[in-house]
Amino acid sequence: MLNYAKNYYGLQENPCHKAGSMGKKHAKEKLFWTKNEYLQFSESITDRPRAHIIFQLLYWCGIREGELLALSIKDIDFEEKVLTINKSYQRINGEDIITEPKTPKGNRIIALPDFLCDELKAYFALLYNKNPNTRIFDITKSYLYREMNRGCALSGVKKIRVHDLRHSHVSLLIELGFSPLLIAERLGHENIETTLNTYSHLYPHKQAELANTLDSILL
């Protein structure tokens, strides 16, 4: 905005330039679980169905914590096998607040694998209140952190943050060969550059794979 004012409305100088940039240009490498690490973790928390289905959604769909906690029953379409993301949850000053997603592209539809649809149906069968508009998971983020720590202790896998499950999902999709554009759409990123800048450290090994594929075509 200040650059615009400088270029077109006579502002002599953008005062923000004197402050310099904030944060690091190259963020620290992100932690994530491999598929086998996640499966080991997931197996250790099957004793608590709610925790298990929560982490299944976080890992296999790559959704944000706030998006998960805002989900209502009507957001799951078993006919089309899709999950609709159109809101986010926050707890502010002791109140449950439902807001718009983080960005406009955050409004999206995520395709669900069959096994996850089956697990969601089984979990819904355990619910007493099945009002379509009621939040599926009437909990706060602190519950996620506690169950994450419990699962790590039980399974012996390395500790990562709950948000790192989103990175783990991306790592899995890259390993499976899906394009950055498709990954960006699934994550709800505003543009593909966000995806590439955020997860560029996961792509280098794909270069060797690409070269090997080209070799095999010629040979």
Side-chain angles (χ1 to χ4, degrees), residues 120-158:
L120 282 165
K121 287 177 184 177
Y123 179 72
F124 284 176
L126 302 175
L127 300 180
Y128 293 105
N129 183 1
K130 296 183 181 178
N131 185 320
N133 296 304
T134 301
R135 283 173 57 213
I136 299 173
F137 306 113
D138 188 15
I139 55 172
T140 60
K141 292 182 180 181
S142 61
Y143 173 88
L144 303 181
Y145 307 151
R146 289 197 305 271
E147 286 301 303
M148 187 79 159
N149 289 333
R150 185 178 77 92
C152 288
L154 289 171
S155 63
V157 298
K158 67 177 179 283

Side-chain angles (χ1 to χ4, degrees), residues 167-215:
H167 307 322
S168 303
H169 180 66
V170 176
S171 172
L172 176 67
L173 297 185
I174 292 172
E175 188 62 34
L176 293 173
F178 290 105
S179 72
L181 178 59
L182 183 59
I183 294 172
E185 290 175 354
R186 190 167 177 87
L187 293 184
H189 283 164
E190 279 300 288
N191 52 62
I192 194 172
E193 285 77 16
T194 302
T195 309
L196 291 171
N197 290 338
T198 306
Y199 299 105
S200 58
H201 65 286
L202 297 177
Y203 283 94
H205 71 285
K206 284 295 180 184
Q207 293 289 347
E209 192 176 313
L210 183 153
N212 291 335
T213 301
L214 295 177
D215 258 341

Side-chain angles (χ1 to χ4, degrees), residues 151-164:
C152 288
L154 289 171
S155 63
V157 298
K158 67 177 179 283
K159 284 190 177 182
I160 63 174
R161 302 171 305 162
V162 173
H163 186 72
D164 290 328

Side-chain angles (χ1 to χ4, degrees), residues 50 53-54 57 67-76 78 83 87 120 123-124 127 129 131-139:
R50 177 168 64 178
I53 194 64
I54 280 173
L57 283 166
E67 294 170 343
L68 169 97
L69 297 179
L71 288 176
S72 52
I73 290 178
K74 68 180 181 181
D75 295 325
I76 313 288
F78 290 118
L83 166 67
K87 52 191 176 295
L120 282 165
Y123 179 72
F124 284 176
L127 300 180
N129 183 1
N131 185 320
N133 296 304
T134 301
R135 283 173 57 213
I136 299 173
F137 306 113
D138 188 15
I139 55 172

Side-chain angles (χ1 to χ4, degrees), residues 3-128:
N3 282 338
Y4 191 87
K6 179 183 174 184
N7 292 336
Y8 298 103
Y9 287 93
L11 180 68
Q12 290 188 348
E13 167 179 29
N14 182 342
C16 293
H17 287 167
K18 292 181 179 179
S21 59
M22 296 175 64
K24 298 177 182 178
K25 186 174 181 181
H26 300 290
K28 187 170 68 174
E29 187 170 321
K30 294 173 174 55
L31 292 174
F32 63 92
W33 280 337
T34 63
K35 182 189 70 174
N36 287 338
E37 285 177 314
Y38 171 71
L39 292 177
Q40 190 176 334
F41 167 86
S42 177
E43 182 64 27
S44 74
I45 58 170
T46 52
D47 60 321
R48 297 183 182 175
R50 177 168 64 178
H52 184 258
I53 194 64
I54 280 173
F55 287 107
Q56 287 285 82
L57 283 166
L58 288 171
Y59 179 78
W60 295 107
C61 297
I63 58 179
R64 300 178 177 94
E65 297 164 47
E67 294 170 343
L68 169 97
L69 297 179
L71 288 176
S72 52
I73 290 178
K74 68 180 181 181
D75 295 325
I76 313 288
D77 186 337
F78 290 118
E79 295 261 332
E80 298 295 326
K81 299 179 184 177
V82 295
L83 166 67
T84 297
I85 301 293
N86 56 20
K87 52 191 176 295
S88 186
Y89 166 89
Q90 298 181 69
R91 189 162 181 81
I92 302 174
N93 296 326
E95 285 190 54
D96 294 336
I97 308 295
I98 302 296
T99 63
E100 292 290 314
K102 187 176 179 181
T103 64
K105 282 285 182 69
N107 289 283
R108 63 199 188 280
I109 294 177
I110 297 174
L112 297 172
D114 287 343
F115 74 83
L116 194 49
C117 286
D118 292 339
E119 291 183 14
L120 282 165
K121 287 177 184 177
Y123 179 72
F124 284 176
L126 302 175
L127 300 180
Y128 293 105

